[in-house]
Amino acid sequence: KKVGVRARGPAVLTYPAMFGLLRLEAPYTIYYLPNFPDSPLQLALMQYKPRGRETTQAGLTPNASEHGINGIRRVEVELPNLEESMDMLMKIFPDLRLEGETWVMQLEKQRLGFLQSAENKTRIKITTIASQRSAVGRAFRIDNLEVNTIGG
């Protein structure tokens, strides 16, 4: 909101506890950004409350490691109207820089990229890292989402 994006929020998620007798708050707030132009894709940004990150990390038990996946290396988002999306993207991610035809930035160990879709459709490609050889090279696709696993 401070940078001029019409975000909805902050929203605080609650969930039932102790057989529904209590409701607990999530240790973070969420800001929902508007959809990208001509796309159903919408981003949500999560902001941890004080000590919320440690609380959340301790409670997370992802099953990806059971399937040989250690993390995400790269996310590429193809947008049907990248030019109109750039105003919002530059406000949210001021470190974006153009490399070839892709706007990219580094997020800790992950690389995030946005590019114009050749088919004027929204598509997301995620590249995951695997330490188990049996997981390397695995790929699947669900609608407009494609996931590929590489060695790490």
Side-chain angles (χ1 to χ4, degrees), residues 118-132:
E119 302 170 358
N120 284 328
K121 295 181 179 178
T122 302
R123 296 183 60 182
I124 301 168
K125 296 179 184 177
I126 300 174
T127 303
T128 59
I129 308 164
S131 58
Q132 296 177 6

Side-chain angles (χ1 to χ4, degrees), residues 45-129:
L45 301 176
M46 185 170 71
Q47 181 178 15
Y48 286 105
K49 296 175 182 176
R51 295 188 314 270
R53 185 176 190 113
E54 295 83 19
T55 304
T56 302
Q57 296 288 342
L60 291 177
T61 55
N63 67 350
S65 60
E66 295 171 16
H67 299 283
I69 297 173
N70 299 344
I72 295 174
R73 170 70 48 90
R74 182 173 54 246
V75 176
E76 290 182 357
V77 180
E78 295 181 15
L79 295 169
N81 196 337
L82 181 64
E83 189 174 325
E84 284 188 37
S85 302
M86 285 310 300
D87 181 51
M88 180 172 70
L89 286 171
M90 292 302 287
K91 289 176 181 176
I92 299 165
F93 305 112
D95 296 334
L96 276 175
R97 65 188 182 288
L98 187 60
E99 289 184 5
E101 296 182 2
T102 306
W103 288 91
V104 298
M105 73 171 294
Q106 199 70 27
L107 299 169
E108 294 182 15
K109 297 178 183 178
Q110 298 83 23
R111 182 179 170 101
L112 177 61
F114 296 92
L115 62 152
Q116 176 65 44
S117 170
E119 302 170 358
N120 284 328
K121 295 181 179 178
T122 302
R123 296 183 60 182
I124 301 168
K125 296 179 184 177
I126 300 174
T127 303
T128 59
I129 308 164

